[in-house]
């Protein structure tokens, strides 16, 4: 079987798949159209997020048997059409779930203890102890929306804290010893910290909006290490101003797909909501790296290799 790699990944993908008997070719620079012109020669393709695997691509991939996506989400693949064609889809949420769990917890502790704000203050020659008095996670209720690989990994990280962990998921009976599954009404009533661990789907796009936020009985902290489009930035900024949301840890942003860096390097006007968000001391940001560790790079690749070998060897 011949595999085309169109994104760079951990070298073990090549090493182990070659040792198993697969032919591995690389093309990290050709356009989508150029890849489509030769994809019929291949049985498998390994991707991250370079370009969408849509109907046009799949129609040209006449001999494609599988797509390996070295990451958790599959939103850049036309899943329904791929499955209709009998193409196997392999992703690797098991590979970076631990990294996401640790990053999520780190964001909460950083926000609660004002670590980013305090760091900037000291660097600017100020020693403001009272202004940087923090709060403790102990005794809080942490609500998790989405209790799959990522949600479970985060809940596991909370074992050492004296917190109540509750979760909401569209699937039934997902709870385990780390979290109790509840209905949305109970989540709205109890939550002090809300953490999102959902994929990007029609149900989750724009999910965190003003109407949703106002259903919470208490002001709460919001953490999003899932997908940027789940949170309406304008509504988040409004809630932060009104202290309905006390602070936010965001590893992903609504503007990410339109190229965050281009917003600053081009003549495009930066959206007003994003401008305001960037100036808030009770917001901590990271560039979609929650699952992006040295260890997870290897684990993600190993997970894909294992799934390919289990199916085709």
């Amino acid at each position: 079987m011949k595999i085309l790699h169109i994104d760079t990944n951990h070298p073990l993908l090549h090493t182990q798949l070659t040792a198993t008997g697969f032919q591995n070719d690389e093309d990290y620079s050709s356009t989508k159209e150029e890849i489509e012109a030769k994809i019929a020669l291949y049985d498998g393709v390994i991707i991250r997020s370079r370009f969408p695997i849509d109907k046009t691509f799949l129609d040209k991939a006449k001999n494609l048997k599988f797509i390996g996506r070295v990451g958790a989400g599959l939103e850049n693949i036309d899943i329904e059409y791929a499955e209709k064609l009998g193409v196997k889809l392999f992703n690797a949420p098991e590979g970076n779930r631990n990294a996401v769990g640790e990053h999520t917890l780190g964001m909460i502790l950083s926000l609660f203890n004002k670590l980013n704000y305090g760091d900037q203050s000291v660097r600017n020659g100020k020693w403001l102890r009272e202004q940087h008095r923090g709060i403790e996670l102990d005794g809080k209720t942490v609500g998790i929306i989405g209790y799959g690989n990522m949600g479970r990994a985060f809940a596991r990280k909370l074992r050492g804290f004296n917190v109540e962990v509750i979760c909401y998921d569209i699937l039934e009976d997902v709870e385990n010893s780390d979290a109790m599954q509840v209905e949305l009404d109970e989540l709205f009533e109890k939550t002090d910290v809300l953490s999102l661990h959902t994929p990007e789907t029609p149900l989750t796009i724009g999910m965190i909006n003003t109407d949703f936020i106002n259903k919470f009985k208490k002001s709460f902290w919001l953490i999003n290490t899932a997908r940027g489009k789940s949170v309406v930035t304008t509504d988040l900024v409004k809630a932060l101003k009104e202290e309905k949301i006390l602070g936010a840890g965001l590893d992903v942003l609504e503007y990410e797909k339109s190229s965050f860096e281009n917003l600053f390097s081009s003549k495009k006007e930066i959206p007003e909501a994003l401008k305001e968000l960037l100036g808030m001391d009770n917001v901590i940001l990271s560039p979609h790296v929650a699952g992006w560790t040295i260890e997870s790079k290897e684990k993600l690749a190993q997970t894909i290799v294992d799934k390919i070998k289990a199916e085709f060897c």
Side-chain angles (χ1 to χ4, degrees):
M1 293 176 69
K2 296 175 65 176
I3 302 174
L4 181 63
H5 298 249
I6 61 174
D7 278 302
T8 57
N9 287 293
H10 194 284
L12 73 79
L13 266 166
H14 278 258
T15 304
Q16 294 190 21
L17 289 173
T18 299
T20 306
F22 294 95
Q23 176 182 322
N24 291 274
D25 296 340
E26 303 172 355
D27 191 336
Y28 304 142
S29 58
S30 294
T31 65
K32 179 173 181 284
E33 290 72 24
E34 289 169 335
I35 297 289
E36 287 172 350
K38 63 181 181 181
I39 194 61
L41 300 173
Y42 291 93
D43 302 286
V45 61
I46 303 291
I47 66 166
R48 283 206 323 265
S49 303
R50 190 166 141 216
F51 53 70
I53 305 299
D54 53 19
K55 185 177 185 295
T56 301
F57 185 96
L58 291 166
D59 280 339
K60 293 182 181 296
K62 300 295 185 182
N63 295 303
L64 199 65
K65 297 175 180 62
F66 74 86
I67 300 169
R69 202 257 156 167
V70 188
L74 292 171
E75 63 266 18
N76 61 330
I77 300 172
D78 189 332
I79 298 173
E80 185 176 349
Y81 193 63
E83 291 177 343
K84 181 181 177 181
L85 295 175
V87 177
K88 297 283 185 180
L89 303 178
F90 304 124
N91 62 335
E94 306 93 334
N96 61 355
R97 59 190 175 190
N98 183 71
V100 170
E102 290 188 5
H103 194 97
T104 305
L105 180 57
M107 280 190 145
I108 294 171
L109 296 177
S110 294
L111 282 168
F112 275 28
N113 293 284
K114 303 180 181 178
L115 295 184
N116 58 324
Y117 180 38
D119 175 77
Q120 293 170 16
S121 180
V122 173
R123 291 175 189 274
N124 290 325
K126 299 177 182 178
W127 198 262
L128 306 173
R129 296 185 68 212
E130 188 57 40
Q131 289 90 327
H132 296 128
R133 189 183 291 275
I135 62 171
E136 297 177 15
L137 187 54
D138 189 280
K140 304 292 190 296
T141 297
V142 179
I144 299 172
I145 297 183
Y147 206 62
N149 280 283
M150 308 305 170
R152 286 171 177 266
F154 170 51
R156 196 174 306 124
K157 299 300 175 188
L158 294 168
R159 285 179 180 175
F161 296 85
N162 181 32
V163 293
E164 179 183 11
V165 184
I166 57 178
C167 64
Y168 172 79
D169 196 286
I170 59 173
L171 300 178
E172 296 180 358
D173 301 323
V174 298
E175 71 179 36
N176 61 4
S177 59
D178 297 318
M180 178 179 70
Q181 187 170 9
V182 299
E183 296 297 327
L184 276 176
D185 286 345
E186 188 169 348
L187 188 92
F188 292 142
E189 181 181 351
K190 290 184 172 182
T191 297
D192 296 298
V193 179
L194 179 67
S195 187
L196 305 181
H197 297 278
T198 49
E200 185 177 301
T201 71
L203 285 175
T204 63
I205 293 175
M207 175 176 65
I208 308 300
N209 55 28
T210 296
D211 181 60
F212 191 89
I213 292 166
N214 287 338
K215 291 178 180 178
F216 285 81
K217 182 178 179 180
K218 300 181 282 186
S219 294
F220 64 97
W221 302 78
L222 174 67
I223 310 295
N224 186 12
T225 55
R227 290 292 181 261
K229 289 182 181 180
S230 294
V231 178
V232 179
T233 308
T234 303
D235 294 356
L236 169 61
V237 169
K238 179 175 181 287
L240 285 162
K241 287 179 177 178
E242 296 172 351
E243 297 186 356
K244 182 65 181 176
I245 292 180
L246 299 170
L250 307 172
D251 182 54
V252 287
L253 291 169
E254 183 181 0
Y255 310 100
E256 191 171 359
K257 288 296 183 183
S258 61
S259 183
F260 178 80
E261 290 179 348
N262 284 347
L263 291 171
F264 293 86
S265 61
S266 70
K267 295 181 180 179
K268 291 181 181 178
E269 183 68 23
I270 299 175
E272 189 60 34
L274 179 57
K275 281 184 186 177
E276 293 189 80
L277 193 72
L278 295 175
M280 292 179 165
D281 292 326
N282 58 342
V283 174
I284 186 167
L285 303 161
S286 57
H288 201 161
V289 292
W292 203 254
T293 63
I294 299 297
E295 293 86 352
S296 72
K297 183 177 182 180
E298 181 174 349
K299 291 177 186 175
L300 286 165
Q302 189 65 61
T303 300
I304 294 298
V305 168
D306 293 344
K307 289 183 177 181
I308 293 171
K309 289 168 67 175
E311 182 68 28
F312 294 105
C313 294

